[in-house]
Amino acid sequence: MFERIDYYAGDPILGLMDKFAADTNPDKVNLGVGVYYDEDGKMPVLECVKTAEQRIADPISPRPYLPMAGLPGHRKGCQELLFGKDAQILQDGLVATIATIGGSGALKVGAEFINEWFPQSKCYVSDPTWGNHIAIFEGSDVEVGKYPYYDTATGGIKFDEMIAFFETLNKDDVLLLHPCCHNPTGVDLTREQWDQVLNVIQARELIPFMDIAYQGFGEDMDSDAYAIRKAVDMGLPLFVSNSFSKNLSLYGERVGGLSVVCPTVDETERVFGQLNSTVRRMYSSPPSHGGRVVDIVMNDEALHEQWIGEVYAMRDRIKSMRTKLKSVLEEKIPGRNFNYLTAQNGMFSFTGLTPEQVAQLQSKYGIYMVSNSRMCVAGLNSSNIDYVANAMVDVLKD
Ligand SMILES: Cc1[nH+]cc(COP(=O)(O)O)c(/C=N/[C@@H](CC(=O)O)C(=O)O)c1O
């Protein structure tokens, strides 16, 4: 009956979690999946989340179905985080926002919507990008192409090539963009470059789909949303998927959002209705527990302020690990350029190690990175950083 079903090769990122868990090396270090670990190598429960959880737990309350779009407070929290508390488009009711099952769920609902209502549109992703971008859109029968992005030779961006490529695209083609903290490279566009990208999008009438999963881990909440808010200022139609997995450390609660900025209130109503319809036929409604945590933290002023501080503490610890690893490696391999470690932004660093070197780190040292050489810098701490540096020196010397 099912003998013709293909075996699943596993996911290049999530598959690392199982391998890491099974690894008996006492010195093993997880630099694979994009998860934040603290200085003790532990996944934190944020203080603001603890408070929210206590309010949810006492008094305990029933768990009714949520609306298809999720809790209004969750949706409001997404909108204010992405567009700014006083954004005119929010006052004018021009944003259709639904709570989703993480950022992945937001991308999936968006991909289904594009396939249904823009069937001629192709979706273009950066080369390289987060692998699941391609799987999610292709899984919704949206044809996926790649636009030039990372320049292996320079560690920068093939900006002129990218712009020239955008100039060849058709009206309503979708560009899947990383507003900050690019995954897997950590290499972000400058504000001037974003301005040029958005001008081409406007001129070619392309559809920007911005996936922001690490807001707050780059510079700050507002700066990380520059591309999003500039697109709004230009009056562009815009899709934004956001994730609270990392910046609320709520990975398993599956909380995120999908927002669509529309030209008129009537179009916002139409889009919002169809997003609801898409949710209904996919999973009916989003999970309530995570939604309530988001609602409480985003809408309680004191908790929101505490949350910002906790995100910036995570951001700063990652930055300190970048600086430390760079100086340790420079000391061990004088003359070799490790500037990429501090030039790159957010949770990830594209180390440029070959697949063989990545495999050697794993087999010889129990150090796990994604095979494309992406390192989750948040897995580093003062007790493992020298071990990781020495191992990198070892594999780099061959
Ligand atoms: C760019 C990007 N977008 C969306 C997501 C999905 O997030 P979520 O809210 O958990 O559905 C992730 C997760 N990335 C990390 C984990 C994973 O691969 O699922 C990662 O890149 O390791 C991203 O890196």
Side-chain angles (χ1 to χ4, degrees):
M1 170 72 180
F2 300 116
E3 60 281 349
R4 60 185 172 72
I5 308 302
D6 292 337
Y7 288 105
Y8 177 47
D11 181 86
I13 295 175
L14 298 184
L16 287 176
M17 292 200 297
D18 304 334
K19 282 186 191 159
F20 180 78
D23 193 323
T24 55
N25 183 334
D27 299 321
K28 64 184 180 180
V29 183
N30 188 356
L31 307 178
V33 68
V35 158
Y36 177 85
Y37 296 107
D38 64 19
E39 180 53 23
D40 300 322
K42 300 267 183 304
M43 179 183 290
V45 179
L46 302 188
E47 292 306 315
C48 60
V49 169
K50 286 177 189 167
T51 305
E53 295 275 7
Q54 284 151 9
R55 290 187 195 170
I56 292 168
D58 183 16
I60 195 82
S61 57
R63 300 297 151 97
Y65 284 129
L66 266 53
M68 293 174 277
L71 292 174
H74 179 151
R75 296 165 46 219
K76 174 174 171 287
C78 290
Q79 292 183 335
E80 294 179 353
L81 180 65
L82 295 173
F83 305 108
K85 205 170 173 58
D86 306 319
Q88 192 57 46
I89 51 168
L90 300 182
Q91 320 296 334
D92 298 344
L94 297 177
V95 187
T97 296
I98 59 167
T100 56
I101 301 179
S104 304
L107 288 157
K108 184 60 182 175
V109 173
E112 288 289 306
F113 181 92
I114 296 281
N115 175 255
E116 182 173 3
W117 298 98
F118 294 86
Q120 305 312 318
S121 296
K122 284 182 69 172
C123 175
Y124 292 89
V125 301
S126 59
D127 181 16
T129 193
W130 178 53
N132 217 21
H133 277 157
I134 297 167
I136 287 173
F137 276 80
E138 286 185 340
S140 291
D141 293 331
V142 177
E143 199 181 327
V144 176
K146 289 184 179 179
Y147 58 81
Y149 190 77
Y150 182 70
D151 187 340
T152 314
T154 65
I157 292 169
K158 295 176 179 172
F159 187 72
D160 294 342
E161 273 180 71
M162 181 176 76
I163 292 288
F165 182 82
F166 289 167
E167 300 276 9
T168 67
L169 302 182
N170 302 313
K171 181 177 183 307
D172 291 345
D173 274 344
V174 175
L175 286 183
L176 193 43
L177 303 158
H178 303 236
C180 71
C181 308
H182 186 270
N183 179 358
T185 69
V187 182
D188 289 342
L189 295 171
T190 64
R191 293 191 170 195
E192 295 69 30
Q193 289 175 327
W194 272 117
D195 294 350
Q196 288 184 63
V197 165
L198 293 168
N199 285 334
V200 174
I201 286 172
Q202 189 167 47
R204 307 288 304 173
E205 296 183 276
L206 306 176
I207 301 176
F209 195 129
M210 297 194 188
D211 179 29
I212 186 163
Y214 303 90
Q215 189 169 1
F217 284 99
E219 283 177 65
D220 58 62
M221 291 299 178
D222 297 324
S223 307
D224 288 355
Y226 173 77
I228 292 168
R229 297 180 189 181
K230 179 70 184 203
V232 168
D233 292 347
M234 292 169 65
L236 301 182
L238 171 67
F239 287 70
V240 187
S241 49
N242 73 283
S243 166
F244 290 111
S245 293
K246 290 86 178 172
N247 56 22
L248 263 173
S249 192
L250 284 178
Y251 307 91
E253 294 296 355
R254 313 307 298 129
V255 278
L258 174 66
S259 295
V260 183
V261 179
C262 306
T264 65
V265 171
D266 176 61
E267 289 167 274
T268 307
E269 189 182 330
R270 292 168 182 269
V271 168
F272 185 65
Q274 290 304 328
L275 292 180
N276 277 269
S277 163
T278 304
V279 166
R280 177 59 169 160
R281 73 165 183 269
M282 283 174 65
Y283 55 82
S284 201
S285 60
S288 74
H289 186 78
R292 293 174 71 181
V293 173
V294 169
D295 181 1
I296 293 169
V297 173
M298 292 299 138
N299 295 294
D300 175 302
E301 212 166 307
L303 288 183
H304 188 270
E305 200 176 322
Q306 183 181 38
W307 171 60
I308 297 284
E310 292 189 275
V311 175
Y312 292 168
M314 291 192 280
R315 171 201 66 189
D316 294 344
R317 197 189 79 75
I318 293 171
K319 286 179 187 274
S320 69
M321 289 296 107
R322 288 181 178 277
T323 306
K324 176 97 162 76
L325 183 59
K326 175 173 179 283
S327 62
V328 170
L329 287 172
E330 283 174 342
E331 196 184 312
K332 292 177 186 296
I333 315 183
R336 187 162 179 135
N337 184 334
F338 292 102
N339 292 339
Y340 67 82
L341 280 166
T342 47
Q344 293 166 356
N345 228 1
M347 203 172 259
F348 305 116
S349 195
F350 219 39
T351 63
L353 267 62
T354 63
E356 296 71 27
Q357 290 169 332
V358 171
Q360 210 185 350
L361 281 179
Q362 191 176 123
S363 57
K364 198 171 171 184
Y365 295 97
I367 295 171
Y368 289 73
M369 290 184 190
V370 182
S371 55
N372 62 11
S373 91
R374 186 193 86 177
M375 171 203 287
C376 177
V377 181
L380 293 174
N381 55 57
S382 336
S383 25
N384 65 24
I385 197 162
D386 287 315
Y387 176 72
V388 170
N390 288 325
M392 285 178 72
V393 167
D394 179 36
V395 301
L396 283 169
K397 73 177 186 308
D398 298 340

